Amino acid sequence: MIALQLPYVEPRQAPAPRVIVALTTLDGRLVRTTRFKDPTYVGDPINAVKIFSEKGVDELVLLEIGRRPFEARREEAIRDIASEAFMPISYGGGVSTIEQVRAVIRCGFEKVVLNTALHESPGLARTAADEFGSQAVLASMEVSRHWMRGEHVRTGCGRVATRWKPVDWAKRCEELGCGELMVTSVDRDGSMSGYDRELIAQIASAVSIPVIALGGAGSVNDLRAGLDAGATAVAAGSMFVFHGPRRAVLINYPEAGRIA
Amino acid sequence: MIDLATGNIGSVLKMLARIGADPFVCSSPNDIDDASPVVVPGVGHFSKAVQSLDDGHWRGQLGALHAEDRPILGICLGAQLFCRESEEGGGAGLGWIPAVVRRFPAESSGGERLRVPHMGWQTFTPPDGCLPFSAPAGRMYYAQSYFIEPTVDPAHSPYQSEYGGVRFAAAVRSNNAIGLQFHPEKSHRHGMALLRHWLAWAGGGAA
């Protein structure tokens, strides 16, 4: 008997937007910040990544906010962290050369996060994308609203103001070869008061690469609002690390499908 | 696991070790032994991987293994290398799958902006018999700007999915070479289960 073989096509599905855990470290220690300041020690990143991996998180982004340069010692530390992740994981913090990009990828990260380097070495994103694919290059932009300066892009974990307007810089990141863009509202960092939806909407309509919203999410409703504003994926830190009004440290993550 | 010196082979090694395999890295075709299943991982650029295939003299050896029905698993770019060519860049793939690797268009089939790369999770529900080994339903992580077009002969692309209304081959097959567009090594227990079933089918020791 001859069996008629047809391909199996995965049923059309509602898009399942990624809910990304964004963890910040300061000199290798897991911290939470508010408006990128007042770092509070919350624990050990290796353990946290392990727990998040066990919870089946969609993706995780690890951001080092210390000012120390990327060096061999850090490579060792982040390799140990990546070894606990059975989901896509990105690393950012002090990466400014292609050798450092290679080191991050070699450590077991799928993506490298570029921020300051996009301003200082504009060719780096393209070089990295040519080698590893654009999906491996995640641009991170920090946006702040200032009463005089207006809405502008900052770098160096919020420390340095630039002349760039958010939409122009977002387009620039795409032109430079980045495959994804994470938009962080500095003013909302750690506030758990909701994303800057207007900012997300502006940027999402300006670029064709995936846009991740970060900064301000405190509830599943906030995540949903970020997606409604146009984000492709939503990220949060405090929301997944703190619990309750007294902000006790408790790692948590919405069950699959809860934000759909 | 063959090392084409593109991208990150660490994640795949880690996952294989986790499921009880004893993976070893082959830096040259001579390192491949007489029995082990072979994994072709890959992230990166199609042309660069093709260059590595040529520079490392992998083509002859991989072709011979394919012809003698050795189980070979291609992941993401590794799967795309099984095809004829890619819009990403010049160079010939291994040609086992009569398909071209294409870039996702700027617009979905409904005329809306399509964000590329396609990054995210999709359900994975192939029925029994779709793949040569049973594979439990779950969800898998995709990260791709390029996709393998479905082949004319469905046997070459038995498992398909779509993004933005664009149908693509999510798994391809030629002889015992299986290519996966998604990343089982980054798909938690779902990917772990799939690799475990593949390994048991491929005869790769403890699984």
Side-chain angles (χ1 to χ4, degrees):
Chain A
M1 192 181 108
I2 298 168
L4 177 67
Q5 194 189 7
L6 290 172
Y8 176 74
V9 183
E10 196 62 38
R12 189 167 289 206
Q13 48 201 301
R18 286 168 290 154
V19 176
I20 299 171
V21 175
L23 298 180
T24 28
T25 58
L26 175 60
D27 300 327
R29 289 154 54 92
L30 192 62
V31 294
R32 282 311 308 153
T33 56
T34 303
R35 295 179 57 95
F36 282 6
K37 295 187 179 114
D38 308 323
T40 315
Y41 175 70
V42 292
D44 163 42
I46 299 180
N47 195 35
V49 168
K50 186 173 182 210
I51 295 171
F52 279 119
S53 183
E54 282 163 1
K55 286 189 176 289
V57 301
D58 291 343
E59 191 166 334
L60 194 142
V61 178
L62 184 71
L63 299 166
E64 164 64 42
I65 59 170
R67 297 181 192 217
R68 291 186 194 159
F70 189 91
E71 53 189 10
R73 204 161 53 93
R74 180 166 316 161
E75 202 179 319
E76 260 171 60
I78 65 173
R79 178 180 293 119
D80 290 344
I81 296 171
S83 72
E84 296 297 340
F86 289 96
M87 68 287 190
I89 179 169
S90 317
Y91 171 81
V95 177
S96 56
T97 66
I98 188 67
E99 288 75 23
Q100 290 167 344
V101 171
R102 289 188 190 122
V104 169
I105 302 282
R106 200 167 51 226
C107 283
F109 291 82
E110 276 58 53
K111 306 177 190 179
V112 64
V113 184
L114 301 180
N115 182 341
T116 309
L118 295 170
H119 295 269
E120 293 173 356
S121 323
L124 179 62
R126 180 71 62 194
T127 309
D130 282 347
E131 195 164 328
F132 300 110
S134 72
Q135 85 293 332
V137 185
L138 169 56
S140 166
M141 61 184 277
E142 297 151 3
V143 179
S144 183
R145 294 175 195 266
H146 185 268
W147 62 279
M148 264 177 67
R149 203 191 294 270
E151 205 173 41
H152 65 285
V153 174
R154 300 182 80 86
T155 65
C157 303
R159 288 186 286 263
V160 184
T162 73
R163 295 171 165 276
W164 286 93
K165 292 288 164 200
V167 164
D168 297 334
W169 181 247
K171 289 180 178 162
R172 170 92 173 143
C173 290
E174 185 173 28
E175 284 163 17
L176 288 175
C178 300
E180 196 171 19
L181 178 62
M182 184 161 71
V183 184
T184 306
S185 163
V186 175
D187 308 317
R188 306 228 175 182
D189 174 56
S191 72
M192 295 172 78
S193 63
Y195 292 116
D196 185 336
R197 285 180 288 173
E198 196 187 313
L199 172 69
I200 293 162
Q202 276 179 39
I203 288 176
S205 63
V207 297
S208 294
I209 52 179
V211 174
I212 304 170
L214 175 62
S219 69
V220 168
N221 282 338
D222 290 342
L223 301 180
R224 242 181 247 127
L227 296 169
D228 290 343
T232 323
V234 281
S238 303
M239 176 183 162
F240 301 137
V241 174
F242 287 137
H243 182 72
R246 303 181 66 170
R247 309 195 109 201
V249 175
L250 176 77
I251 284 182
N252 63 102
Y253 184 79
E255 280 167 46
R258 252 194 71 195
I259 72 152
Chain B
M1 164 112 42
I2 78 164
D3 185 4
L4 292 176
T6 58
N8 169 26
I9 62 170
S11 307
V12 185
L13 287 173
K14 190 173 69 181
M15 188 60 111
L16 288 171
R18 171 66 69 106
I19 61 173
D22 186 14
F24 57 97
V25 178
C26 302
S27 317
S28 92
N30 299 330
D31 297 342
I32 300 179
D33 67 9
D34 292 338
S36 300
V38 175
V39 178
V40 186
V43 248
H45 199 278
F46 187 84
S47 325
K48 296 220 161 132
V50 162
Q51 188 73 44
S52 301
L53 278 179
D54 290 329
D55 292 350
H57 309 288
W58 290 102
R59 277 181 196 275
Q61 174 76 315
L62 287 173
L65 294 174
H66 171 252
E68 69 187 40
D69 273 342
R70 177 78 68 96
I72 303 173
L73 183 70
I75 297 175
C76 195
L77 181 62
Q80 297 183 354
L81 285 176
F82 293 178
C83 302
R84 282 183 180 148
E85 58 182 350
S86 171
E87 288 181 353
E88 187 173 13
L94 292 162
W96 303 340
I97 307 292
V100 175
V101 179
R102 300 201 182 277
R103 188 178 164 84
F104 279 112
E107 287 187 356
S108 72
S109 59
E112 289 173 351
R113 187 207 304 261
L114 190 61
R115 294 200 188 268
V116 180
H118 165 219
M119 279 197 265
W121 296 77
Q122 290 200 339
T123 55
F124 176 80
T125 62
D128 283 347
C130 178
L131 299 171
F133 48 92
S134 72
R139 56 189 199 120
M140 299 293 173
Y141 182 77
Y142 291 78
Q144 51 173 158
S145 297
Y146 297 83
F147 64 95
I148 302 174
E149 60 178 8
T151 51
V152 176
D153 179 353
H156 283 126
S157 45
Y159 177 60
Q160 303 176 6
S161 191
E162 60 174 37
Y163 176 60
V166 179
R167 181 88 69 87
F168 65 87
V172 292
R173 180 182 187 184
S174 167
N175 296 353
N176 282 340
I178 310 280
L180 305 174
Q181 179 59 62
F182 50 87
H183 288 274
E185 79 282 10
K186 284 284 145 186
S187 299
H188 292 302
R189 60 189 167 81
H190 314 287
M192 205 180 289
L194 179 139
L195 286 174
R196 196 175 274 134
H197 282 85
W198 170 76
L199 195 65
W201 168 78

